Amino acid sequence: MLATALIALATIAQADVPQVATSSTSTTSALRRYVGPAVALFPSYTPELVRGMLPISEARRAAFGAELGRAAEEVLDWRRWFVVPSAELAEAIADGTANGECQDDLCFAEIGVRAGATHAVVSSLVAPRPNTCRATVVLYDLLKAEIASEVDRMIEPCNDDNLLSAAADIGRTIVDGPRAPVRVTLNLTPRDIPVVDIPDVSDVPRYHVDTSSRTDRVFELERALEIYEEQHMFVFDSDDGDTYYITRGGRLLSECDVRRVASAPRPPHIAEFCDGNDWEWAWLGVPFGGIVMLGSYGDFLDGGFVGVIGMGFGGIMTIASAAVAIALNVDKKDPRDGEYYSTRAEIEAIVKESNANLRKQLDLTEAEVLVGGMRL
């Protein structure tokens, strides 16, 4: 299987790559190539053909892949290696696979080259027995059609802390290596200055010591996740898809509630929109105007001046009070109505920033939230 995959890697890597079209009218979809080494960080997967393994939740697998990718990106950035954007890689996977997921080395190689990568990091996670995970991570050199490095590690006990700690350590290890040289071209004279490919030497070597997961966090991981579950907000669509709602701790929120939780500005017009105003008190002018008209009615029938003035003033008060109450009164919005002053994009941005601040206060990473089965 491995030999077949390497042959396939060589065939794909040596294939001609189309040039990127510069004309805006071109309809040909060309492969994008990057200058220098480019790495495609594939999402972690669980092989379907492995027998006798226990199921692994999608949340744990996604959290493992996210933490591994984050750690790998830090090292690749230090090495001056380019990381293929996740959106472009996802598009290549969607276009090149039937179900949106690769399950063999040939697929990873083909998608990696399609995305313009020179290397690919592929990670799999299985559970051979209860409370035990086995992570296998491989760095493929797509141009040389060979395995550049490989890490195979058993994680036991496979709790959340150990799983994410192992993912971070493996992510740094699998892509470790020297920095790429800085290519400099100076056009100070008509003569060309040759490129001197001498890699930089860092002043301070990078040491990584992993003895255990973080022990100086504000809360234990389980307690921090409980607090996050109670206090984080998320947006979801209604059953009919006509509107959307914001909830926190099982309670629907209005836009003003969202802004209070997120400590976001609440301009007066937004506060009036969701909390209402006091113009309904203008209806009190209707009965007062009626009383004035009633008191002036007798004199009005006799043609008295006071009666005419009283009837006119009372009528104007009654009509004006009703008109003001109808035109200016704003009732408090019920969160169940799904009505908001701001656009959905603005509200989702507020919710996202609020959740990020909450994770920072609780010393939670995105991977830890994902492994807990919650939204970011």
Side-chain angles (χ1 to χ4, degrees):
M1 177 65 182
L2 182 58
T4 305
L6 292 180
I7 294 174
L9 283 171
T11 304
I12 296 173
Q14 294 173 3
D16 293 334
V17 178
Q19 298 296 320
V20 177
T22 57
S23 174
S24 60
T25 60
S26 175
T27 59
T28 303
S29 176
L31 302 182
R32 179 178 179 184
R33 305 297 291 182
Y34 303 99
V35 177
V39 181
L41 299 174
F42 284 90
S44 294
Y45 76 105
T46 298
E48 296 177 352
L49 299 179
V50 178
R51 298 180 180 273
M53 296 295 177
L54 301 176
I56 293 181
S57 68
E58 179 64 29
R60 302 198 82 193
R61 184 166 63 247
F64 174 84
E67 186 67 11
L68 185 146
R70 182 196 61 79
E73 283 192 36
E74 291 180 355
V75 178
L76 291 172
D77 181 65
W78 179 86
R79 295 186 64 189
R80 301 192 188 98
W81 283 34
F82 187 82
V83 177
V84 177
S86 57
E88 295 185 10
L89 182 59
E91 183 179 356
I93 294 175
D95 294 340
T97 59
N99 59 354
E101 185 180 53
C102 286
Q103 283 286 328
D104 57 76
D105 296 336
L106 179 59
C107 177
F108 289 118
E110 181 179 355
I111 298 301
V113 172
R114 184 189 297 271
T118 59
H119 295 73
V121 173
V122 179
S123 59
S124 63
L125 189 66
V126 296
R129 54 183 180 271
N131 205 25
T132 303
C133 298
R134 179 179 180 180
T136 303
V137 185
V138 180
L139 174 64
Y140 289 109
D141 189 327
L142 301 180
L143 300 182
K144 296 182 180 179
E146 64 182 18
I147 295 177
S149 59
E150 183 176 6
V151 175
D152 192 343
R153 182 174 302 179
M154 298 294 292
I155 306 171
E156 189 174 9
C158 189
N159 54 39
D160 294 346
D161 272 349
N162 288 345
L163 182 66
L164 298 180
S165 179
D169 181 54
I170 296 173
R172 290 189 294 262
T173 302
I174 197 69
V175 296
D176 201 7
R179 303 180 79 176
V182 178
R183 304 182 69 87
V184 179
T185 301
L186 299 178
N187 295 324
L188 302 179
T189 67
R191 297 179 179 274
D192 293 333
I193 299 177
V195 177
V196 181
D197 291 336
I198 301 178
D200 291 347
V201 179
S202 58
D203 297 332
V204 180
R206 296 177 302 116
Y207 290 107
H208 298 291
V209 180
D210 285 330
T211 56
S212 64
S213 58
R214 292 174 297 174
T215 58
D216 57 345
R217 61 167 68 247
V218 179
F219 299 99
E220 294 294 333
L221 178 59
E222 291 76 10
R223 178 54 183 158
L225 289 175
E226 289 178 1
I227 297 175
Y228 183 82
E229 184 176 12
E230 295 172 357
Q231 299 186 6
H232 84 292
M233 298 181 290
F234 65 90
V235 181
F236 67 96
D237 293 309
S238 61
D239 294 336
D240 53 14
D242 293 338
T243 186
Y244 61 94
Y245 304 99
I246 306 104
T247 184
R248 178 178 186 246
R251 184 173 67 91
L252 294 179
L253 304 180
S254 67
E255 181 171 348
C256 285
D257 295 330
V258 172
R259 291 178 176 270
R260 290 190 190 98
V261 173
S263 298
R266 286 190 300 122
H269 55 278
I270 293 181
E272 182 182 59
F273 174 82
C274 53
D275 288 340
N277 56 31
D278 297 327
W279 278 107
E280 63 268 17
W281 291 101
W283 285 106
L284 293 177
V286 174
F288 284 127
I291 293 173
V292 172
M293 292 176 64
L294 183 62
S296 305
Y297 183 70
D299 192 58
F300 175 75
L301 293 179
D302 295 337
F305 178 75
V306 176
V308 174
I309 296 298
M311 288 293 291
F313 179 76
I316 293 174
M317 177 184 294
T318 301
I319 296 173
S321 298
V324 168
I326 294 174
L328 300 182
N329 180 53
V330 177
D331 294 328
K332 183 177 181 180
K333 289 293 184 294
D334 189 338
R336 292 174 295 182
D337 295 337
E339 297 180 10
Y340 309 98
Y341 187 90
S342 304
T343 63
R344 178 165 183 170
E346 293 172 337
I347 292 179
E348 287 181 339
I350 294 173
V351 170
K352 183 178 180 181
E353 183 179 0
S354 175
N355 290 343
N357 292 334
L358 179 60
R359 290 195 300 272
K360 185 177 180 181
Q361 294 172 4
L362 297 175
D363 196 18
L364 287 173
T365 65
E366 293 185 0
E368 288 170 340
V369 172
L370 290 176
V371 81
M374 290 173 285
R375 299 172 174 84
L376 295 178

